[in-house]
Amino acid sequence: DAKTTQPPSMDCAEGRAANLPCNHSTISGNEYVYWYRQIHSQGPQYIIHGLKNNETNEMASLIITEDRKSSTLILPHATLRDTAVYYCIVRAYSGNTPLVFGKGTRLSVIA
Amino acid sequence: KAGVTQTPRYLIKTRGQQVTLSCSPISGHRSVSWYQQTPGQGLQFLFEYFSETQRNKGNFPGRFSGRQFSNSRSEMNVSTLELGDSALYLCASRQEEGSYEQYFGPGTRLTVT
């Protein structure tokens, strides 16, 4: 079972920041937070991951709370192409445990 | 680098038949995983292969099997197809070391009639 809780859906105006929350209150010390997204009818796409520090790449920023029980994925300037299902996944950094996808958040970017 | 490729992209089969799907990972990636995606169950892990060995398996019946070749390409097979096997089958590859950044292919859409 997925170890995360996400809202089922969110809307965001085009050009505004999209802030997608994720709750992972049972996260262990060696577990990372991963974010993937899936645009309709395509394979999931890796976005970003982090342990406890905030992370940023060309796609998004990941803010993890100090107690690590929740995080927020930020798309700074959402476009229509960012409309997708976003998955927050908790997993140990190494080892062979597969990714467990929950239901994710369906983000709709509106013009 | 070329991404993960899957063939065929679409497939229609009849109940009772068997099917083989193919996946070519990103060059240099030695791990290949397979997932099944359906509207009701979402994305579910099938199995993972590394160096031609299956090292992880999800909760699927024995009708679902796979293999990996020495060039890291992988195939999955489903025998005695059932209507419920209709799904999008996704392949993902990753480097062996380090974080679990998986790169997914576009998937094969299987329809069983």
Side-chain angles (χ1 to χ4, degrees), chain B residues 34-86:
Chain B
W34 289 90
Y35 292 81
Q36 180 197 65
Q37 186 172 30
T38 60
Q41 299 298 319
L43 267 161
Q44 293 187 288
F45 171 76
L46 280 159
F47 28 65
E48 181 181 17
Y49 285 87
F50 173 72
S51 290
E52 304 177 63
T53 301
Q54 184 185 94
R55 64 179 180 184
N56 224 331
K57 189 178 191 305
N59 188 25
F60 279 82
R63 300 185 297 106
F64 291 81
S65 63
R67 61 177 175 169
Q68 187 181 32
F69 302 95
S70 58
N71 61 357
S72 295
R73 191 177 69 84
S74 177
E75 290 181 347
M76 68 161 284
N77 182 279
V78 187
S79 62
T80 319
L81 284 165
E82 301 177 359
L83 295 179
D85 297 333
S86 294

Side-chain angles (χ1 to χ4, degrees), chain A residues 13 23 39-40 48 66 85 93:
Chain A
N23 181 287
I39 297 170
H40 182 62
I48 199 168
E66 193 168 342
V85 177
Y93 182 76

Side-chain angles (χ1 to χ4, degrees), chain A residues 32 48-56 62-65 68:
Chain A
Y32 281 63
I48 199 168
H49 72 277
L51 180 63
K52 55 182 178 180
N53 297 319
N54 299 339
E55 301 288 344
T56 296
L62 173 60
I63 308 298
I64 302 174
T65 58
R68 303 210 320 124

Side-chain angles (χ1 to χ4, degrees), chain A residues 34 36 38 41-46 49 87 91-103, chain B residues 9 35 37 40 43 45 48 55-56 88 90 94 96 98-107 109:
Chain A
Y34 288 82
Y36 283 75
Q38 186 173 24
S41 296
Q42 297 182 20
Q45 176 188 24
Y46 165 80
H49 72 277
Y87 297 96
R91 188 194 174 276
Y93 182 76
S94 59
N96 301 326
T97 307
L99 292 175
V100 177
F101 287 83
K103 297 187 183 302
Chain B
R9 292 293 311 279
Y35 292 81
Q37 186 172 30
L43 267 161
F45 171 76
E48 181 181 17
R55 64 179 180 184
N56 224 331
L88 180 66
L90 292 156
R94 70 180 179 106
E96 168 59 7
S99 72
Y100 219 87
E101 297 172 35
Q102 282 190 313
Y103 295 87
F104 285 79
R109 172 76 62 185

